Amino acid sequence: CLENTDPRARGRGIQLLSQVLLQCYSLLQEKEVLHLVLFYESRLQDHHLVIPSVLQGLRALSMCEALAPGLAVSVLKAIFQEVHVQSLLQLDRYTVYSIITNFMGSREEELKGLGADFTFGFIQVMDGEKDPRNLLVAFQIVRDLIGKNYALGPFVEELFEVTSCYFPIDFTPPPNDPHGIQREDLILSLRAVLASTPQFAEFLLPLIIEKMDSDLQSAKLDSLQTLTACCAIYGQKELQEFLPSLWSSLRREVFQTASEKVEAECLAALHALSACLSRSVLSSDAEDLLDSFLSSVLQDCRHHLCEPDMKLVWPSAKLLQAAAGASPRACHGVTRSVLPLLLEQHAKHPQSSQRRTILEMLLGFLELHRKWGDVEEEEGALQALRAPLCSVVFSAVTEPSVQLQLVGIRVLTVLGSLQGFLSPSDLELVVDHLLRLILHEEDSQSSEAAMEAAGSLAPIHPQSFSGRMIPRLGEELRSGREREQGGSRAPRRPQRQRCLQALAAVSTHSSIVRETVPLLLQHLRQLHKGSEAGSAADVVSVCQSLHRVALQCQQDAESCWYYHETVVPCLLAMAVQAAMQESTHPVLGRVLLEEEALSAMVPVVSAACTHLSPELAAQSVSHVVPLFLDGELSFLPQNSFPCSFQPFEGGERVEAQSRLVALLMAFVCSLPRTVAIPQQERLLQALLALSCSSNCPFTATTAAKCFAGLVNKHAEGQQLDEILQLAVNRMEPALAGGPQRTQALTLLLWVTKALVLRYHPLSSRLTDKLLGLLGDAELGPAAADGFALLMADAPDVLHRGCHADVRIMFRQRFFTDNVPKLVQGFHGAGPDVKANYLKGLSHVLNHLPRPVLVTELPTLLSLLLEALSCSDRVVQLSTLGCLQPLLLEAPHIMSLHVDTLVTKVLGLTSSPTMAVRIAALRCAHALTNLPLTVLLPYKPRVIRALAKPLDDKKRLVRKEAVAARGEW
């Protein structure tokens, strides 16, 4: 074939040889490679039909390690001289780029020996390339040419021209493109080329300025992003000539554009320009370009800050802040001119809306000062403005306008965070103003903002807050209690609530935590001991504040341990005392034993334990477990209890004590898994007995949760198997019949969840037991709701925050194992219990990740549609909540059932339950996402049906009806 006179036959021969070489190039020896290279180079002069196969052979040879020195240069010279690359097909052009890439990777020094001839040869190869697949490779070659310092010689402009002709990229990938090349890939690749060397600056910057004037937003954005990228490698020399034009274009865009994207990119580009000019090292005789550039910016923006109508105030402020934010030098250059001007304008504008605008601008510039920290010259200039700045801010926080107060509080926070800026007397005023806003400001927004500000400033000025704010808040709490105990008709509970929230908010420093925690605990004791017992809502308020303090202490080990050893024993002591009083004086102590109060204590105890070190946690748990198992009270702070503490003994006499198992659960279920629980087997048996025997639903549930939390973390082995078998032996007879069926079901649900999360083998047996209960007339509805418990994240136990053993994708595994059984059970169930299976299924599907649900949709959709006909509103709500996102994410599958969907969804828009009506209207809205051709036959019917909910008596329903009907 190789000697055949027919070029097609020669081509086939070379093609076969090239294919063989592509398989075995690594085995070739140096002499063989030399012989083949000379052969292939001579074939480059052959008929054009032969060239593609020749290039494939050369690609194979370019990957050979046994390539003699000089051959790479010889091959490339031959290609540059003999092959008109742009007349070849796309694949053949790609082969040429691959040969060049291979040689650049393995024969760099040889190619550099060609000097600028190599660059010129590549320019000829690339010139006119149009295919995006080839362009990505070509752009990478240009990046390597520049990045690896190949000689560009006199061809810098030619190299720029051959790449910049694609700027800005205008490419839309064809539908179903198998190559997956996106417009963004080409944009980023070209930008990396254009911004790779300062040598392109004289050609690129005029091009960017030209494209910034384009009518196309995409061209503007690409130009601005490229300018920002270039500033990272340019110096003053490259930018100097073009600065006036660049500033003019950026200013015009920010002042005139209606696009937030364009404005944001303009500001980013201005910031990059200012940063670039700030980086350049000045010689003694050189002009400070940053100074002159900032002068231009100030000159064009300053006067807009003084205009009475304040029309261009914000665009000007944004430009100034973008330039100032680039460096300490730029910040000082702008703010020393702008801050006095803004303070002057504040005095001239009495209206609160204008003052708010001026304050917001001041805030922006002050935040830049905070960003750059202590710069002597800068701080000196700012210190000179301390008095007028403080005056303006203190005035703002005393204004009646809430919006002005909110901005004033933010400025106050920034001023307080500037190290050494405020004098001691200023700090006293700051604390006083914040305290006044917290306690006496009617609007809750201002009060909450003042609390957040106090929390931010307390770690910076702990002495000021300790000495001035904490005592005042404590005094306010005490006086509030005294007023109530004295029979005052105005208990001022909202103000007391604010005191509690403020004490928590300001606890952001270890020294302050040691003052606020005793105050909060003292208040809780007073609620417990007072002559008139406080309400559960008061206890909840204190616990919410204690919980916030706990979360703020978790990152500091010292504060965390102080909090733990102070709060946990105190809460336990109060609760134990309340439980003992309950049996002797039922009125006293009742408030701490209410479900609402105990439930509020649970997150406090839990947060106090989750971040303890294993050593300290082990020390603490060695006291708490004996307290509950043996009544060991010695470690509690007030050791004078009227009777023994035996929460696990059973019977009505200790029913109040048994409720405290909630606090035991919060403690032991939040410890790290490495901490050993003392007497764990005995504790598990006691919890198991209590969960099955208690007649109090709260006690039985918390005992079951505590048991499940410990089982989830228990090490594998015989002990775990024995305790689980014990649990199964207790549950099965109780579930079969008797007075404790509900307690047994609760225990079954929590133990199943504990085992499902850790992939324990017994979980499938327990889940099957639960599936069997769906057919039970008495327990079926509760068992169906239990599937929501299995799939959802529990707030207090069995989640990753409390160190539970939670395996990834447990929901997907549960779905795969159990949904087929649910479907099968539904089809075999009697009509009176079918709803239970539908409810269980809808709970599982509602908690499943959407991508998994979409893949399983075809097999489950008919069942979901049947669930819409169920009379149970929980099933209806759950199913509608499941269908709505599927209508948005899988319209083509859903459109196959459009008739049933429309009928059932419209029927539910007149449900007696408001939540169902809202969910149905949202589904009706989501139906518009189906293909138009599918929807058009239903349009008149839907519009007529949706007219009725427009007159619904509930505003939220009317709102959804308007949105849905408008879309139809």
Side-chain angles (χ1 to χ4, degrees):
C1 287
L2 297 179
E3 295 179 337
N4 198 304
T5 53
D6 180 7
R8 285 182 179 78
R10 289 202 304 281
R12 283 198 298 274
I14 294 173
Q15 183 183 19
L16 175 59
L17 178 58
S18 297
Q19 286 173 346
V20 171
L21 289 176
L22 283 166
Q23 297 296 321
C24 68
Y25 63 85
S26 59
L27 308 175
L28 296 174
Q29 295 172 11
E30 188 173 311
K31 283 185 179 179
E32 294 168 338
V33 174
L34 172 62
H35 189 72
L36 287 163
V37 165
L38 294 174
F39 167 74
Y40 272 106
E41 280 183 6
S42 68
R43 291 303 90 206
L44 286 173
Q45 299 170 6
D46 204 335
H47 195 279
H48 68 87
L49 291 173
V50 174
I51 299 301
S53 300
V54 175
L55 292 173
Q56 287 296 339
L58 288 171
R59 182 165 75 89
L61 295 171
S62 71
M63 294 186 279
C64 287
E65 288 182 17
L67 195 71
L71 286 183
V73 170
S74 171
V75 168
L76 289 180
K77 277 185 174 178
I79 291 174
F80 293 159
Q81 287 170 10
E82 305 296 344
V83 182
H84 183 244
V85 175
Q86 289 306 316
S87 65
L88 300 174
L89 295 174
Q90 179 271 326
L91 182 61
D92 303 324
R93 301 200 304 277
Y94 189 90
T95 304
V96 174
Y97 295 125
S98 300
I99 293 167
I100 295 172
T101 302
N102 292 340
F103 282 144
M104 287 178 78
S106 61
R107 297 290 188 272
E108 184 178 324
E109 292 307 317
E110 287 182 39
L111 301 192
K112 284 182 177 177
L114 273 172
D117 288 348
F118 175 60
T119 303
F120 181 65
F122 173 73
I123 290 169
Q124 287 179 308
V125 166
M126 184 186 171
D127 194 8
E129 182 58 68
K130 290 185 174 61
D131 191 278
R133 291 163 288 182
N134 292 351
L135 282 173
L136 284 177
V137 187
F139 290 156
Q140 181 61 52
I141 292 171
V142 179
R143 284 215 298 281
D144 290 341
L145 277 173
I146 294 165
K148 294 180 179 177
N149 297 315
Y150 282 78
L152 305 185
F155 303 117
V156 173
E157 186 172 359
E158 285 78 2
L159 188 61
F160 173 77
E161 290 296 337
V162 85
T163 50
S164 65
C165 61
Y166 303 100
F167 180 81
I169 294 287
D170 181 20
F171 167 69
T172 305
N176 306 317
D177 178 18
H179 309 292
I181 294 174
Q182 299 298 315
R183 181 170 173 271
E184 193 65 20
D185 300 330
L186 289 165
I187 287 173
L188 294 175
S189 191
L190 176 57
R191 185 176 302 150
V193 170
L194 297 177
S196 61
T197 173
Q199 294 181 72
F200 284 167
E202 61 179 304
F203 316 114
L204 179 58
L205 291 174
L207 179 63
I208 286 176
I209 292 165
E210 177 195 330
K211 298 299 180 185
M212 280 165 66
D213 292 340
S214 167
D215 294 332
L216 286 173
Q217 181 174 308
S218 59
K220 285 183 193 289
L221 291 172
D222 201 354
S223 303
L224 291 163
Q225 288 163 354
T226 303
L227 174 60
T228 303
C230 290
C231 288
I233 63 156
Y234 287 2
Q236 291 200 7
K237 185 178 68 163
E238 286 79 23
L239 291 173
Q240 184 167 10
E241 182 187 342
F242 304 100
L243 279 175
S245 302
L246 287 168
W247 162 238
S248 174
S249 297
L250 292 170
R251 182 189 65 214
R252 183 190 66 247
E253 288 300 329
V254 172
F255 282 161
Q256 295 177 6
T257 187
S259 164
E260 289 183 10
K261 283 184 183 175
V262 172
E263 182 188 88
E265 292 300 339
C266 282
L267 296 174
L270 178 59
H271 182 277
L273 280 171
S274 182
C276 177
L277 297 174
S278 302
R279 275 197 311 271
S280 300
V281 179
L282 295 173
S283 58
S284 56
D285 56 342
E287 179 192 358
D288 185 354
L289 274 186
L290 176 67
D291 201 34
S292 57
F293 179 65
L294 292 178
S295 297
S296 302
V297 176
L298 283 163
Q299 186 180 340
D300 289 339
C301 294
R302 264 181 63 106
H303 62 279
H304 291 304
L305 302 181
C306 308
E307 288 172 357
D309 58 0
M310 302 182 86
K311 209 179 261 181
L312 290 174
V313 157
W314 266 121
S316 301
K318 286 176 181 175
L319 285 165
L320 288 165
Q321 285 169 9
S327 68
R329 204 153 60 93
C331 184
H332 178 62
V334 173
T335 53
R336 71 183 169 191
S337 172
V338 171
L339 288 183
L341 184 67
L342 289 175
L343 290 168
E344 186 185 311
Q345 290 304 304
H346 185 273
K348 287 182 182 176
H349 291 88
Q351 290 182 3
S352 66
S353 61
Q354 293 173 323
R355 287 193 161 187
R356 177 186 157 201
T357 302
I358 292 165
L359 264 180
E360 283 176 336
M361 289 189 286
L362 270 171
L363 175 65
F365 288 108
L366 289 170
E367 282 176 336
L368 294 176
H369 270 279
R370 180 168 64 176
K371 172 186 170 184
W372 292 116
D374 298 335
V375 179
E376 242 176 85
E377 184 186 4
E378 195 178 326
E379 291 304 314
L382 193 61
Q383 275 291 349
L385 299 172
R386 182 174 58 78
L389 274 170
C390 288
S391 170
V392 162
V393 178
F394 293 153
S395 161
V397 294
T398 52
E399 289 279 347
S401 162
V402 173
Q403 296 306 317
L404 191 54
Q405 282 180 8
L406 291 173
V407 182
I409 291 167
R410 287 165 64 200
V411 179
L412 202 63
T413 308
V414 175
L415 289 179
S417 64
L418 294 171
Q419 203 65 44
F421 180 72
L422 295 177
S423 67
S425 58
D426 290 333
L427 275 172
E428 287 181 6
L429 275 172
V430 167
V431 173
D432 289 346
H433 278 298
L434 291 176
L435 198 56
R436 177 185 56 76
L437 289 164
I438 288 168
L439 295 177
H440 305 297
E441 180 54 49
E442 287 182 16
D443 188 87
S444 61
Q445 273 183 289
S446 296
S447 175
E448 286 166 14
M451 289 181 207
E452 293 304 318
S456 300
L457 294 176
I460 304 168
H461 308 287
Q463 298 299 324
S464 300
F465 283 87
S466 288
R468 205 163 181 89
M469 182 175 275
I470 309 301
R472 294 268 295 278
L473 289 170
E475 182 58 40
E476 190 67 35
L477 267 184
R478 278 191 296 276
S479 60
R481 282 198 306 270
E482 286 163 8
R483 277 194 299 274
E484 287 191 17
Q485 288 166 3
S488 169
R489 291 186 179 180
R492 300 174 72 187
R493 182 167 285 163
Q495 192 163 344
R496 188 172 64 201
Q497 183 93 352
R498 284 187 181 183
C499 275
L500 293 170
Q501 290 170 348
L503 283 169
V506 81
S507 303
T508 48
H509 188 272
S510 56
S511 65
I512 295 176
V513 169
R514 291 171 184 270
E515 295 180 37
T516 55
V517 165
L519 283 174
L520 290 167
L521 292 174
Q522 179 61 25
H523 184 65
L524 192 59
R525 282 193 203 96
Q526 293 302 322
L527 290 174
H528 168 48
K529 287 180 180 174
S531 55
E532 291 181 27
S535 73
D538 293 326
V539 175
V540 170
S541 296
V542 183
C543 288
Q544 285 171 342
S545 292
L546 283 168
H547 183 233
R548 179 170 179 179
V549 177
L551 295 176
Q552 289 164 184
C553 287
Q554 283 178 345
Q555 303 310 316
D556 177 44
E558 186 186 341
S559 296
C560 188
W561 177 238
Y562 165 77
Y563 181 92
H564 179 89
E565 66 175 356
T566 307
V567 173
V568 173
C570 183
L571 286 181
L572 287 170
M574 280 190 273
V576 168
Q577 195 170 45
M580 291 176 177
Q581 285 174 343
E582 173 72 5
S583 52
T584 51
H585 304 88
V587 178
L588 287 175
R590 180 74 234 174
V591 64
L592 285 183
L593 299 176
E594 288 183 28
E595 184 176 333
E596 191 182 351
L598 284 171
S599 297
M601 289 187 205
V602 165
V604 177
V605 176
S606 181
C609 298
T610 50
H611 283 63
L612 284 183
S613 68
E615 298 77 24
L616 294 174
Q619 180 183 325
S620 191
V621 76
S622 67
H623 296 303
V624 173
V625 171
L627 166 68
F628 280 85
L629 286 178
D630 305 314
E632 181 55 63
L633 300 163
S634 58
F635 88 103
L636 296 181
Q638 50 206 65
N639 202 359
S640 56
F641 298 98
C643 60
S644 61
F645 181 60
Q646 297 169 318
F648 290 119
E649 194 176 83
E652 288 185 20
R653 191 176 66 81
V654 294
E655 187 182 311
Q657 296 183 11
S658 300
R659 294 171 74 83
L660 302 194
V661 169
L663 301 184
L664 173 68
M665 173 198 75
F667 189 97
V668 295
C669 293
S670 301
L671 297 174
R673 265 184 271 173
T674 51
V675 176
I677 309 291
Q679 307 179 66
Q680 184 167 11
E681 309 314 312
R682 182 183 161 202
L683 177 61
L684 283 165
Q685 289 176 18
L687 287 165
L688 181 60
L690 183 63
S691 67
C692 290
S693 61
S694 175
N695 292 318
C696 169
F698 177 74
T699 302
T701 301
T702 49
K705 287 160 80 171
C706 189
F707 180 83
L710 291 173
V711 160
N712 173 265
K713 295 181 188 178
H714 201 296
E716 293 280 355
Q718 187 181 351
Q719 286 184 326
L720 177 61
D721 295 340
E722 287 173 1
I723 198 70
L724 287 174
Q725 189 57 50
L726 198 61
V728 171
N729 294 344
R730 288 294 292 260
M731 285 187 287
E732 286 185 340
L735 287 168
Q740 309 294 339
R741 292 191 82 200
T742 305
Q743 292 94 316
L745 174 62
T746 302
L747 180 63
L748 172 65
L749 286 168
W750 283 103
V751 174
T752 304
K753 182 176 179 71
L755 299 182
V756 163
L757 292 179
R758 63 179 283 178
Y759 291 177
H760 192 279
L762 185 62
S763 63
S764 56
R765 178 181 160 192
L766 296 183
T767 309
D768 288 343
K769 187 76 183 167
L770 191 59
L771 287 163
L773 289 171
L774 292 174
D776 187 290
E778 181 192 349
L779 294 181
D785 285 330
F787 281 90
L789 186 150
L790 295 180
M791 297 293 282
D793 290 322
D796 42 10
V797 291
L798 297 176
H799 59 86
R800 288 189 175 91
C802 64
H803 312 288
D805 186 355
V806 181
R807 304 296 174 89
I808 59 168
M809 298 176 72
F810 77 89
R811 291 184 178 88
Q812 289 90 316
R813 180 168 174 165
F814 187 86
F815 171 86
T816 307
D817 291 347
N818 297 295
V819 164
K821 297 175 186 175
L822 274 169
V823 174
Q824 186 181 352
F826 169 80
H827 290 305
D832 52 335
V833 293
K834 273 186 181 288
N836 297 337
Y837 288 91
L838 288 175
K839 190 192 286 190
L841 177 66
S842 61
H843 283 315
V844 173
L845 298 182
N846 249 328
H847 290 93
L848 202 62
R850 293 287 169 235
V852 181
L853 187 52
V854 169
T855 58
E856 300 292 337
L857 188 56
T859 56
L860 295 171
L861 190 52
S862 57
L863 210 56
L864 282 171
L865 294 173
E866 194 164 340
L868 290 177
S869 305
C870 179
S871 58
D872 188 312
R873 68 180 181 83
V874 176
V875 176
Q876 292 172 349
L877 260 177
S878 192
T879 308
L880 287 167
C882 203
L883 286 172
Q884 187 202 347
L886 293 174
L887 286 165
L888 301 173
E889 292 168 28
H892 292 287
I893 299 172
M894 302 297 277
S895 62
L896 301 174
H897 300 266
V898 65
D899 193 66
T900 313
L901 276 166
V902 168
T903 304
K904 297 200 172 184
V905 165
L906 291 180
L908 290 172
T909 58
S910 54
S911 163
T913 307
M914 182 182 86
V916 173
R917 295 201 300 278
I918 289 173
L921 287 165
R922 285 177 181 160
C923 270
H925 192 165
L927 277 168
T928 58
N929 199 52
L930 301 186
L932 189 62
T933 50
V934 173
L935 294 178
L936 283 175
Y938 300 93
K939 181 179 168 182
R941 174 185 163 193
V942 174
I943 290 174
R944 276 197 307 276
L946 292 181
K948 184 184 175 186
L950 292 175
D951 281 334
D952 198 280
K953 60 186 176 184
K954 296 292 186 182
R955 182 183 62 82
L956 292 174
V957 177
R958 296 196 299 273
K959 180 183 170 187
E960 295 294 342
V962 167
R965 194 166 186 267
E967 199 64 36
W968 272 92

